[in-house]
Amino acid sequence: MTGERAGHLDRERHMQSYDVVVLGSGGAGLVAALAAASKGMTVGVFEKSALIGGTTAISGGGIWIPNNHVMAASGFMDNEADAHIYLDRLTHGETSPDLLRQFVKTGPEMLRFLETHSDLRFFSVDRPDYHPGWAGARNGRSVEPLPFEPGMEAGLFETLRYSTLRQPATSTESRKGLSADIIADRQRRNIRTQGSGLVAGLAQACAKAGVRFHVSNPATGLTFYGQRCTGVETANGCVSAKVGVILATGGFEWNEDMVSAFLPGFTSAPTTPPGNNGDGLRFGLEAGAAIANMTEAWWTAAYRIPGEELDGMPLTRNMVRELALPGSIMVNSRGERFVNEASSYNDLGMSFNIFDPGAFSYINRPAWLIFDNAFKNRYAVASIPPTQPAPNWMHTAASLTELANKLSISAEGLRATIDRFNGYALDGHDQDFSRGEDVHGLYYGDPEITPNPCLGVISEGPFYAVEVAPGNNGTKGGLKTTTHGQVIRHDGSIIGGLYACGNVAASIFGKGYPGHGGSLGPIMTAAYATGMNLGAGGIG
């Protein structure tokens, strides 16, 4: 369908012209488009898939922003100095100080902008930073959208990507439980939460601001006049950008060649939509852009249920809470634990990339979540509720030895590991990895279990195992940019008219992940700064 009013979808094939062209419709692309439109720019958002929202739409929707007004209103104290102390340790001095300063200073401004220019409202999530023992760490820096009831035209609403894996509940409501009546009422009213709520609010605000969306319209390249980017070539024709082109196309985690080149030895199991093939990264490289942080991703532990798909590709899910709950462990082929299972998913995910030169292999691949019948009957595991029998893909055995043989892992190693772990559970202290001994680990524990809510014995057969894959929530490496979002060449010069934000740009956090929403926080802030810059006429 083709709409005549701003915000409608447009699938006509003809030469078009905008002040600003945005490639990609995830959180970064939508924020950049809204910021530019708020300054009077005409903006076109071009999305290669049939759905708007990208990875953001299926995410938890958390946004990590230090010293923001939402956390202050909830009684959480913070300041810029402590944020810098925390981030300096997180980034190991590998990130431009200018980019870090911009993030800390501009992030709160971005959040206020969203509440002013959209119907989104946010709440502060009562959870700690992922390294709560570090100097400068705080509670409440993560914010999340309140449940959002869309009020947009049906055509636009129908194009919004929606995660069928999440109930219409905030992360806080999901942990505490939400009544079936409330869930049914929200579903009837099309209320969106978490990442899908964030995308719905941003898309609605963009439409009201005059932004036009072009779905199922992939870009095939950039156009230049001399050394300046002047537009894009798309499947439906050429599009001129009078002020600038913003690349917000996501990462490269679904591009096998790029994964092989930049993440050697890593078998990718992305939790993201399959459209993240590194298109924008390729466009930037062809234009001579510099790149950074290419060996990093937003790592996670993940699992796959046979037969499940997303956009025609295998669906990968994050594994988080069942790793921290009492009565489970994760082991490698030696039957040994190798990480604090209750640590942040990014830090835990990095443990899959450890290479043992003696064995000449990645010793923690594959890995297995091991638990017993008591755990199975108490908690949901890999999306299977306690009331549901174990499916065929969940390995089951009457004894630990039988289970180890089924998994082709060391039975002796597994028995020794569980004996050792059971002693820790009774004592309440994990002598190997300190699981459940900081407030972050306890966040996903079971408060009814003592003395340690993250430790429980594994003793009641039958025993179970689920394969844990080295997954990622997107890649962190990408194009180098300035604080204005301009794409930089290897010699430090600017590629005129070309901008980047989101996972197509190099992450300012390097290897690290500061807290819940640590990916969306900086990319939305950078997108806001980029859009506002173009709204002022652009630089370069």
Side-chain angles (χ1 to χ4, degrees):
M1 72 183 213
T2 300
E4 297 300 327
R5 291 188 291 114
H8 280 229
L9 305 174
D10 192 341
R11 294 191 177 95
E12 292 181 351
R13 179 176 178 84
H14 52 76
M15 174 67 180
Q16 294 177 301
S17 179
Y18 292 100
D19 295 324
V20 176
V21 171
V22 180
L23 301 184
S25 67
L30 293 176
V31 171
L34 180 60
S38 75
K39 292 296 186 179
M41 296 284 109
T42 59
V43 182
V45 173
F46 291 78
E47 169 58 48
K48 69 186 291 185
S49 78
L51 299 174
I52 293 169
T55 302
T56 303
I58 63 173
S59 74
I63 308 169
W64 191 84
I65 301 290
N67 199 35
N68 68 76
H69 72 283
V70 181
M71 67 181 295
S74 299
F76 297 110
M77 305 300 295
D78 200 6
N79 58 74
E80 290 187 7
D82 281 343
H84 280 295
I85 291 172
Y86 183 75
L87 290 176
D88 284 346
R89 180 169 180 180
L90 184 86
T91 57
H92 290 278
E94 298 174 356
T95 296
S96 161
D98 289 341
L99 291 175
L100 288 177
R101 280 193 292 268
Q102 181 203 44
F103 166 64
V104 173
K105 181 177 179 59
T106 310
E109 181 183 319
M110 181 273 296
L111 275 184
R112 289 187 181 275
F113 169 84
L114 294 185
E115 291 198 331
T116 300
H117 289 82
S118 78
D119 293 325
L120 287 166
R121 297 296 179 268
F122 300 92
F123 72 95
S124 186
V125 183
D126 186 7
R127 65 182 298 180
D129 288 341
Y130 284 171
H131 301 279
W134 290 5
R138 284 289 184 275
N139 205 51
R141 283 172 170 162
S142 304
V143 304
E144 192 177 307
L146 288 166
F148 183 81
E149 185 169 6
M152 65 190 73
E153 63 163 63
L156 180 59
F157 178 77
E158 290 167 359
T159 67
L160 300 183
R161 185 178 289 278
Y162 180 67
S163 173
T164 58
L165 304 182
R166 299 179 187 272
Q167 292 181 329
T170 67
S171 63
T172 301
E173 291 171 337
S174 296
R175 288 185 72 242
K176 295 180 179 179
L178 205 58
S179 74
D181 289 343
I182 293 177
I183 291 173
D185 178 66
R186 289 183 178 179
Q187 290 173 334
R188 177 181 59 81
R189 294 160 57 196
N190 290 320
I191 287 178
R192 301 292 173 89
T193 58
Q194 300 191 49
S196 61
L198 180 61
V199 163
L202 291 174
Q204 179 171 299
C206 283
K208 289 181 178 179
V211 174
R212 298 190 69 89
F213 294 97
H214 305 259
V215 298
S216 301
N217 197 350
T220 57
L222 304 176
T223 60
F224 286 82
Y225 183 79
Q227 297 296 307
R228 182 177 182 82
C229 181
T230 56
V232 301
E233 291 281 357
T234 77
N236 290 346
C238 182
V239 184
S240 172
K242 299 174 186 176
V243 179
V245 172
I246 301 176
L247 301 176
T249 53
F252 60 87
E253 62 271 15
W254 282 93
N255 187 312
E256 292 184 5
D257 289 339
M258 287 187 177
V259 168
S260 177
F262 296 115
L263 304 173
F266 182 73
T267 303
S268 186
T271 65
T272 61
N276 294 341
N277 286 308
D279 297 333
L281 176 61
R282 176 169 53 86
F283 298 157
L285 289 171
E286 290 171 352
I291 53 178
N293 210 42
M294 294 299 292
T295 59
E296 293 299 329
W298 304 102
W299 307 113
T300 188
Y303 67 97
R304 285 176 171 167
I305 296 177
E308 285 194 332
E309 292 186 345
L310 176 65
D311 294 357
M313 297 297 288
L315 172 65
T316 302
R317 303 172 185 243
N318 282 297
M319 180 177 283
V320 180
R321 194 173 188 195
E322 50 267 70
L323 290 167
L325 286 166
S328 72
I329 58 173
M330 185 167 63
V331 302
N332 56 23
S333 62
R334 298 173 180 175
E336 299 172 346
R337 294 173 67 213
F338 54 90
V339 70
N340 175 359
E341 297 95 337
S343 57
S344 78
Y345 45 84
N346 183 76
D347 295 353
L348 182 149
M350 286 191 285
S351 66
F352 290 109
N353 299 329
I354 296 173
F355 188 81
D356 183 345
F360 209 73
S361 67
Y362 293 93
I363 58 173
N364 297 329
R365 308 181 200 167
W368 302 91
L369 178 73
I370 307 293
F371 52 100
D372 68 2
N373 194 54
F375 189 91
K376 168 71 179 65
N377 291 334
R378 185 177 179 90
Y379 307 114
V381 183
S383 76
I384 305 301
T387 55
Q388 184 174 324
N392 292 336
W393 50 265
M394 186 178 286
H395 300 271
T396 307
S399 69
L400 290 173
T401 298
E402 180 186 353
L403 184 65
N405 291 335
K406 281 188 174 183
L407 304 179
S408 297
I409 67 176
S410 169
E412 181 179 350
L414 180 61
R415 287 194 303 270
T417 294
I418 288 181
D419 286 344
R420 183 177 178 88
F421 183 79
N422 286 346
Y424 297 161
L426 295 173
D427 182 58
H429 172 51
D430 175 7
Q431 295 183 32
D432 293 331
F433 300 105
S434 300
R435 173 169 159 180
E437 296 181 24
D438 64 37
V439 290
H440 171 264
L442 294 174
Y443 183 81
Y444 283 119
D446 184 343
E448 295 183 4
I449 300 300
T450 59
N452 187 323
C454 294
L455 301 181
V457 297
I458 303 172
S459 60
E460 179 186 312
F463 300 92
Y464 301 89
V466 174
E467 184 171 357
V468 185
N472 71 81
N473 296 319
T475 48
K476 286 185 177 180
L479 308 174
K480 293 188 70 172
T481 59
T482 70
T483 56
H484 295 293
Q486 302 152 290
V487 177
I488 305 171
R489 295 188 182 90
H490 290 282
D491 62 5
S493 63
I494 304 300
I495 301 176
L498 187 60
Y499 301 77
C501 57
N503 281 353
V504 70
S507 170
I508 65 171
F509 289 159
K511 294 179 176 62
Y513 203 113
H516 174 56
S519 55
L520 276 177
I523 68 175
M524 288 175 63
T525 300
Y528 166 74
T530 301
M532 295 299 282
N533 172 45
L534 268 72
I539 296 177

